[in-house]
Amino acid sequence: MAKGTMRYWAAAKAAAGTHEEPYDAATLAEAITAAASRDGRGTEFRRVVGRSSFLIDGDPVGSRPHESVELPEGGVVEVLPPFAGG
């Protein structure tokens, strides 16, 4: 298990009710599942995060399965929902 920080932006921040929070997980999938299970988080959080892109220490996750993305100790996961505009 690695410990680090998840940062939420725009709609993800609103759905999470916070700008950032700690993670304690081995993979991105585990961190997302743990975040979704926090008190007060419902379907809106899962919907937004399910459509989001992720950066880990500035590197894009892209289309890799979240179960295969290992999280680094002290890392920062950025949760970026789709943005309006073009």
Side-chain angles (χ1 to χ4, degrees):
M1 293 284 193
K3 295 177 188 259
T5 303
M6 290 186 75
R7 289 192 183 138
Y8 301 103
W9 299 96
K13 177 181 171 182
T18 186
H19 172 67
E20 67 180 38
E21 62 191 2
Y23 70 74
D24 188 357
T27 67
L28 179 57
E30 289 175 14
I32 293 168
T33 298
S37 68
R38 292 185 190 260
D39 285 342
R41 303 235 169 111
T43 57
E44 179 64 11
F45 179 82
R46 288 186 287 282
R47 184 187 70 76
V48 170
V49 171
R51 296 179 54 216
S52 293
S53 299
F54 299 89
L55 301 176
I56 299 175
D57 290 339
D59 295 324
V61 169
S63 61
R64 290 182 286 161
H66 297 161
E67 297 81 12
S68 71
V69 179
E70 294 183 12
L71 297 177
E73 182 67 32
V76 176
V77 176
E78 309 275 349
V79 183
L80 306 167
F83 293 96

